PDB file of all heavy atoms in Angstrom:
ATOM      1  N   TYR J 114     -16.660  11.406 -12.487  1.00  0.00           N
ATOM      2  CA  TYR J 114     -16.037  11.174 -13.808  1.00  0.00           C
ATOM      3  C   TYR J 114     -15.234   9.905 -13.930  1.00  0.00           C
ATOM      4  O   TYR J 114     -14.579   9.669 -14.887  1.00  0.00           O
ATOM      5  CB  TYR J 114     -15.068  12.417 -14.102  1.00  0.00           C
ATOM      6  CG  TYR J 114     -15.814  13.688 -14.247  1.00  0.00           C
ATOM      7  CD1 TYR J 114     -15.221  14.838 -13.839  1.00  0.00           C
ATOM      8  CD2 TYR J 114     -17.108  13.763 -14.752  1.00  0.00           C
ATOM      9  CE1 TYR J 114     -15.883  16.062 -13.879  1.00  0.00           C
ATOM     10  CE2 TYR J 114     -17.723  15.012 -14.893  1.00  0.00           C
ATOM     11  CZ  TYR J 114     -17.145  16.106 -14.456  1.00  0.00           C
ATOM     12  OH  TYR J 114     -17.796  17.367 -14.610  1.00  0.00           O
ATOM     13  N   THR J 115     -15.295   8.985 -12.907  1.00  0.00           N
ATOM     14  CA  THR J 115     -14.707   7.662 -13.030  1.00  0.00           C
ATOM     15  C   THR J 115     -15.490   6.899 -14.056  1.00  0.00           C
ATOM     16  O   THR J 115     -16.693   6.829 -14.099  1.00  0.00           O
ATOM     17  CB  THR J 115     -14.557   6.940 -11.740  1.00  0.00           C
ATOM     18  OG1 THR J 115     -15.870   6.855 -11.185  1.00  0.00           O
ATOM     19  CG2 THR J 115     -13.635   7.653 -10.806  1.00  0.00           C
ATOM     20  N   VAL J 116     -14.654   6.172 -14.868  1.00  0.00           N
ATOM     21  CA  VAL J 116     -15.366   5.297 -15.881  1.00  0.00           C
ATOM     22  C   VAL J 116     -15.094   3.796 -15.703  1.00  0.00           C
ATOM     23  O   VAL J 116     -15.670   2.921 -16.225  1.00  0.00           O
ATOM     24  CB  VAL J 116     -14.915   5.670 -17.319  1.00  0.00           C
ATOM     25  CG1 VAL J 116     -15.589   7.050 -17.649  1.00  0.00           C
ATOM     26  CG2 VAL J 116     -13.438   5.699 -17.542  1.00  0.00           C
ATOM     27  N   GLY J 117     -14.019   3.550 -14.881  1.00  0.00           N
ATOM     28  CA  GLY J 117     -13.659   2.118 -14.552  1.00  0.00           C
ATOM     29  C   GLY J 117     -14.569   1.669 -13.404  1.00  0.00           C
ATOM     30  O   GLY J 117     -15.134   2.489 -12.760  1.00  0.00           O
ATOM     31  N   GLY J 118     -14.603   0.397 -13.202  1.00  0.00           N
ATOM     32  CA  GLY J 118     -15.345  -0.217 -12.204  1.00  0.00           C
ATOM     33  C   GLY J 118     -14.425  -1.003 -11.275  1.00  0.00           C
ATOM     34  O   GLY J 118     -13.203  -1.377 -11.557  1.00  0.00           O
ATOM     35  N   CYS J 119     -14.868  -1.227 -10.063  1.00  0.00           N
ATOM     36  CA  CYS J 119     -14.084  -2.022  -9.139  1.00  0.00           C
ATOM     37  C   CYS J 119     -15.157  -2.929  -8.324  1.00  0.00           C
ATOM     38  O   CYS J 119     -15.660  -2.521  -7.312  1.00  0.00           O
ATOM     39  CB  CYS J 119     -13.336  -1.166  -8.121  1.00  0.00           C
ATOM     40  SG  CYS J 119     -12.215  -2.050  -7.078  1.00  0.00           S
ATOM     41  N   ASP J 120     -15.193  -4.200  -8.812  1.00  0.00           N
ATOM     42  CA  ASP J 120     -16.087  -5.156  -8.092  1.00  0.00           C
ATOM     43  C   ASP J 120     -15.299  -6.021  -7.158  1.00  0.00           C
ATOM     44  O   ASP J 120     -13.966  -5.827  -7.059  1.00  0.00           O
ATOM     45  CB  ASP J 120     -16.780  -6.062  -9.062  1.00  0.00           C
ATOM     46  CG  ASP J 120     -15.934  -6.745 -10.095  1.00  0.00           C
ATOM     47  OD1 ASP J 120     -14.609  -6.865  -9.758  1.00  0.00           O
ATOM     48  OD2 ASP J 120     -16.316  -7.200 -11.126  1.00  0.00           O
ATOM     49  N   GLU J 121     -15.809  -6.998  -6.504  1.00  0.00           N
ATOM     50  CA  GLU J 121     -15.066  -7.759  -5.472  1.00  0.00           C
ATOM     51  C   GLU J 121     -13.985  -8.572  -6.123  1.00  0.00           C
ATOM     52  O   GLU J 121     -12.898  -8.738  -5.546  1.00  0.00           O
ATOM     53  CB  GLU J 121     -16.086  -8.742  -4.899  1.00  0.00           C
ATOM     54  CG  GLU J 121     -17.109  -8.065  -3.861  1.00  0.00           C
ATOM     55  CD  GLU J 121     -16.231  -7.441  -2.688  1.00  0.00           C
ATOM     56  OE1 GLU J 121     -15.227  -8.049  -2.179  1.00  0.00           O
ATOM     57  OE2 GLU J 121     -16.556  -6.352  -2.293  1.00  0.00           O
ATOM     58  N   LYS J 122     -14.217  -9.075  -7.414  1.00  0.00           N
ATOM     59  CA  LYS J 122     -13.269  -9.826  -8.049  1.00  0.00           C
ATOM     60  C   LYS J 122     -12.013  -8.985  -8.321  1.00  0.00           C
ATOM     61  O   LYS J 122     -10.807  -9.423  -8.132  1.00  0.00           O
ATOM     62  CB  LYS J 122     -13.751 -10.433  -9.375  1.00  0.00           C
ATOM     63  CG  LYS J 122     -12.815 -11.292 -10.113  1.00  0.00           C
ATOM     64  CD  LYS J 122     -13.532 -11.941 -11.264  1.00  0.00           C
ATOM     65  CE  LYS J 122     -12.518 -12.858 -12.116  1.00  0.00           C
ATOM     66  NZ  LYS J 122     -13.103 -13.504 -13.272  1.00  0.00           N
ATOM     67  N   LYS J 123     -12.186  -7.829  -8.771  1.00  0.00           N
ATOM     68  CA  LYS J 123     -11.013  -6.844  -9.075  1.00  0.00           C
ATOM     69  C   LYS J 123     -10.404  -6.426  -7.827  1.00  0.00           C
ATOM     70  O   LYS J 123      -9.094  -6.415  -7.812  1.00  0.00           O
ATOM     71  CB  LYS J 123     -11.604  -5.668  -9.804  1.00  0.00           C
ATOM     72  CG  LYS J 123     -10.479  -4.624 -10.223  1.00  0.00           C
ATOM     73  CD  LYS J 123     -10.925  -3.450 -11.098  1.00  0.00           C
ATOM     74  CE  LYS J 123     -11.188  -4.000 -12.518  1.00  0.00           C
ATOM     75  NZ  LYS J 123     -11.477  -2.810 -13.422  1.00  0.00           N
ATOM     76  N   LEU J 124     -11.165  -6.190  -6.719  1.00  0.00           N
ATOM     77  CA  LEU J 124     -10.540  -5.864  -5.485  1.00  0.00           C
ATOM     78  C   LEU J 124      -9.602  -7.036  -4.961  1.00  0.00           C
ATOM     79  O   LEU J 124      -8.505  -6.737  -4.360  1.00  0.00           O
ATOM     80  CB  LEU J 124     -11.577  -5.468  -4.431  1.00  0.00           C
ATOM     81  CG  LEU J 124     -11.132  -4.810  -3.197  1.00  0.00           C
ATOM     82  CD1 LEU J 124     -10.466  -3.429  -3.548  1.00  0.00           C
ATOM     83  CD2 LEU J 124     -12.326  -4.570  -2.259  1.00  0.00           C
TER      84      LEU J 124
END
Side-chain angles (χ1 to χ4, degrees):
Y114 297 143
T115 54
V116 292
C119 186
D120 55 19
E121 285 299 320
K122 185 176 180 180
K123 181 174 287 188
L124 194 60

